[in-house]
Amino acid sequence: MTALLDALRDQFPVLDQTVHGKRLVYLDNAATVQRPLPVLHAMDTFYRESNANVHRGVHLLSQRATDQFEAARVTISRFINARFSHEIIFTKGCTEAINLVAHSWGGANLRPGDEVLLSHGEHHANIVPWQLIAERTGAVIRPIPLHDSGELDLEALRAMLSDRVKLVGVKHVCNALGTIHPIEEIVRMAKSVGALVLVDGAQSLANVDVDVQALGVDFYSMSGHKAYGPMGVGALYGREELLNAMPPYQGGGDMIRTVSFEKTTFNDLPNKFEPGTPNVAGVIGLAAALDWVAGLDSASIKAHKQSLLDHATEELNRIEGVKIIGTAAQKAPVVSFVTDFAHPHDLGTIFDQHGVAIRAGHHCCMPLMKRFGVPGTARASFAVYNTNQDIIVLIEALRAAREIFA
Amino acid sequence: MTALLDALRDQFPVLDQTVHGKRLVYLDNAATVQRPLPVLHAMDTFYRESNANVHRGVHLLSQRATDQFEAARVTISRFINARFSHEIIFTKGCTEAINLVAHSWGGANLRPGDEVLLSHGEHHANIVPWQLIAERTGAVIRPIPLHDSGELDLEALRAMLSDRVKLVGVKHVCNALGTIHPIEEIVRMAKSVGALVLVDGAQSLANVDVDVQALGVDFYSMSGHKAYGPMGVGALYGREELLNAMPPYQGGGDMIRTVSFEKTTFNDLPNKFEPGTPNVAGVIGLAAALDWVAGLDSASIKAHKQSLLDHATEELNRIEGVKIIGTAAQKAPVVSFVTDFAHPHDLGTIFDQHGVAIRAGHHCCMPLMKRFGVPGTARASFAVYNTNQDIIVLIEALRAAREIFA
Amino acid sequence: MNLNELYQEVILDHGRKPRNFRLLPMATHTAEGHNPLCGDQIHLMLSVRNGTIEEATFDGCGCAISTASASLMTEAIKGQKVEDAEVLFRQFQEAIVANGDTEPLGVLECLIGVKEYPTRVKCATLAWHALRAALESEEKSATISTETGEVIPHA
Amino acid sequence: MNLNELYQEVILDHGRKPRNFRLLPMATHTAEGHNPLCGDQIHLMLSVRNGTIEEATFDGCGCAISTASASLMTEAIKGQKVEDAEVLFRQFQEAIVANGDTEPLGVLECLIGVKEYPTRVKCATLAWHALRAALESEEKSATISTETGEVIPHA
Ligand SMILES: Cc1ncc(COP(=O)(O)O)c(C=O)c1O
Ligand SMILES: Cc1ncc(COP(=O)(O)O)c(C=O)c1O
């Protein structure tokens, strides 16, 4: 494992630096993960060799760009086992993907009194778009309670289901606590009342296997930069029939069939939802990232991440005054904690001086923080390139903070 | 000039290649312009040294990323002389910037019977979003006629103005014909009836000086990849008072002040309109591109581009059966033409075999094509790195096409 | 392959002077074909009786390749049984995407050279997709797009 | 600068046991301060009479820096004239962004070390922005945000 890990870390030049005179220990992977060299190369090569606008050109560069762009769509559709590549809509990120669904599907289908159920732990990206559309349509948003472990209260969900419920939204992997939610079961329950299921998969591609057909989800939103890919690119998976029936979201070039001031007709999938010049380099970078992930030995990577999580959990539990928030049985390698001696923000500053990059705050999950009665947490989140040594430094930094405050 | 040009071309590795065994002559700059090395380096360096999510981190990388991101906002606001940097909203492109205005401003302000006037020559990106919002609000969209030269019929515009008109939308530089529209005059006329003016500046940053305060525009949309910057990033300029009064567009992280299932409050500018993880590397690349443009000797670059336009116009006018569409007095370096011997699409293929990349088709301006009674045009568009030799090859290719067809 | 092989005399001829380029008021089946990326459009009209395509005409506007393709196609299918036209559609479709050799297609063979020009394959197949749309559609008219080849029956 | 200089004893003390940390039912001016990026919130309450700040209290939740800053600030302004508090606001604000030396600020000086920690400056200034908002607002209450420092009077 060590040799493998060393080779892996070599792919991430950003890790090879010191901050405040200390070795960088990057544990902010749930905010954004670093990109390996093949991703940087793929984008750079595109700009140096094939850069052109897609879809509309008869010249070679444009054809090359279009071919690479559409090949990336196929890569992503295979990675999550979508039925058709045109079920993948490229967006600028996970947030936009959810806004697309809320606006287009929600705007066309929600009626006054209809209900959208969202887990109490959702990221603001899967709450606010629904609040905006609820205001317009008169639909009602209801939070699905969580257990103290951070797991979804499935009994409560069952009790909330009725034929007023039109959509259930839940994240696959919780960015704040790490909880992996039982999507298949949630889908089964939602289907029993005919509700659609949108899964916020922002944290998924780097952490769990995703098979949208096996999961049975209707919509699945993704983020490139959380999956070893570049910033500024994400994707929405939607079932073909649903996407076909939905009105366009944004208007512009490429998403139309014909435009006139009298009447405009729209293009087919996926173009209908992709107006304007897409982030071609970004999409190519994302495909390179997924190819890179697919090339790793998935079993040993999983074991490695689990051992990091176990190690960190154990060490944190040892320190007096530290409380881990989120103790689900199924977790991604994320530990969120509070202490009785320091505010998470102060911990963040002290850790930073030790070279340790963590996140402190509400992690864009204010309702979740409120649910656990904390203003925020300190969160360490791990990626393939993290090591046990990283955890040792984290714990040292935490002990140093305790020295200062306690 | 030649030495200057050679040095300039060295900054664009993509130009140094052959296609179909011929030197690449890239004349598809209005679709997307190539990126100089400093832009590629800026993005690559970000990913290798500072990559982190912005705004929410207490650690050094996040602070560095945030500083660079906000510095880029200042660069862009200075480039177009905005009053405040928070009047710049980053988007994924020009198309999204216009959608933001149509949806947020239009959705909140347009009433049944209100009018939005758009030039007959607008890009689909500045037509379709308005059609979508018109359908929802009952507003009416009316095309402003064009003269045969491609210039806006200002008399006709004057006659159309009334207090029903709430917004006038026009592009600064026409991507299809090259026409530079007299924005100051249009703004004066629109203001006389209290209408706002949205200028589609997709083609501007690379081609004309932009001073949003001097122009007096209310909204100005921009595209990174048409200004020597990367794909997947663009910006909207909006006057502070207007942006402050507008409701949010997309919902998500960073655009909120507080979120709860009962009530969500929104953040201040610019964050209110920037939910989710932005394209940090892209924004940094765009700033690098504008710095690069600002570092060029603008007078000699202007003269060079004008001479390319004059040269191409003259040569094309010499060939029998060729007709240039778009003969405005003020033009960016774009020539659009049709022939009586070959369809634009066929010209595109033949040119490509000569190494010449042009665009053939409707250029996302179907109503404009219809106005000129053509199904599409062949369009050659020039950037700083093009040369007279490029035009000679273009003309040779056109003569070859004539051989085949005539 | 050089340009002369793409723009063979027969293509140039049909591009310049398309056959069956007229309206067919008595059409029993029609379809619109659009290439949204370049704006090419063709309107295909068929008169089918007792399983035979008695007349096939088109109008619209497009490049030399799409015009020649529509012109040659209408010539080829006129007088044919619907099933035979469907077979021809499939053969043509296969030939234009295949790497190796396929069934010989007679005069239509000249269109197959376009496969060396990936950006132009859609021009050559536009009329053919319209043919399939017109024949398959339950309705009297249909619209197809080169982007998916999917049939959208008119409301 | 090392961490001990940031987390001086006086900051730790005021962070742990904030002074004037209570509701002020008789408040004449109040303001909410939010740091939307980390979720820190303080609620500042003033009782102003005849141009003098007779009482200043706060509640809410935040880190050691923002809590200590609010605690120290309320101590510093209690009993001061409104104009003097405004001068203090400006001096503090200048000191915390300045590169060189500025006016000595007495006990408040301990907060100025935070300028070496750019991500934390907003924590130290949150209470102060709330002070300005409370004093400037025509209304009885206002909300400010660290992102722009702009005052949003309540509807
Ligand atoms: C005039 C004009 N407006 C809008 C756009 C759309 O810009 P983008 O595709 O970068 O969103 C373009 C580019 O295609 C354009 O030329
Ligand atoms: C669970 C979850 N959902 C949504 C998002 C938003 O993703 P993005 O910022 O890439 O749009 C994030 C990332 O912050 C996340 O962790």
Side-chain angles (χ1 to χ4, degrees), chain A residues 208-226:
Chain A
V208 289
D209 295 330
V210 179
D211 179 332
V212 288
Q213 294 188 71
L215 291 171
V217 301
D218 299 294
F219 298 108
Y220 201 92
S221 62
M222 293 161 273
S223 210
H225 70 103
K226 299 198 197 262

Side-chain angles (χ1 to χ4, degrees), chain A residues 87-202:
Chain A
E87 292 179 321
I88 303 295
I89 309 296
F90 288 120
T91 62
K92 66 177 172 178
C94 180
T95 300
E96 187 181 41
I98 298 172
N99 275 275
L100 192 167
V101 177
H103 187 275
S104 170
W105 176 84
N109 292 286
L110 291 174
R111 303 276 165 268
D114 281 353
E115 292 179 8
V116 171
L117 308 186
L118 304 175
S119 101
H120 206 128
E122 287 312 287
H123 190 281
H124 298 162
N126 202 19
I127 298 176
V128 186
W130 296 107
Q131 292 180 323
L132 294 175
I133 202 71
E135 204 174 300
R136 213 174 89 204
T137 58
V140 175
I141 294 169
R142 300 180 63 200
I144 311 166
L146 297 174
H147 291 298
D148 290 343
S149 62
E151 285 161 319
L152 204 68
D153 183 341
L154 294 176
E155 282 318 302
L157 169 58
R158 195 182 312 280
M160 293 169 79
L161 288 171
S162 76
D163 58 10
R164 284 188 308 279
V165 177
K166 294 297 178 283
L167 183 131
V168 175
V170 61
K171 48 191 172 184
H172 198 160
V173 176
C174 177
N175 60 309
L177 309 185
T179 324
I180 300 175
H181 290 294
I183 302 301
E184 272 158 297
E185 191 149 351
I186 294 166
V187 167
R188 240 188 332 268
M189 291 169 68
K191 296 284 139 174
S192 74
V193 294
L196 300 184
V197 175
L198 176 146
V199 172
D200 171 357

Side-chain angles (χ1 to χ4, degrees), chain B residues 343 345-351 353-354 360-362 366 375-376 404-406, chain C residues 3-4 6-7 12 16 36-40 61-65 117 120 123:
Chain B
H343 186 278
H345 220 162
D346 295 309
L347 291 179
T349 296
I350 291 167
F351 287 13
Q353 296 291 319
H354 285 78
H362 52 64
M366 281 191 185
I404 292 176
F405 283 98
Chain C
L3 283 168
N4 293 337
L6 175 63
Y7 291 109
L12 294 176
R16 275 191 213 104
L37 303 180
C38 66
D40 282 1
C61 90
C63 60
I65 309 285
Y117 298 82
R120 306 303 302 280
C123 304

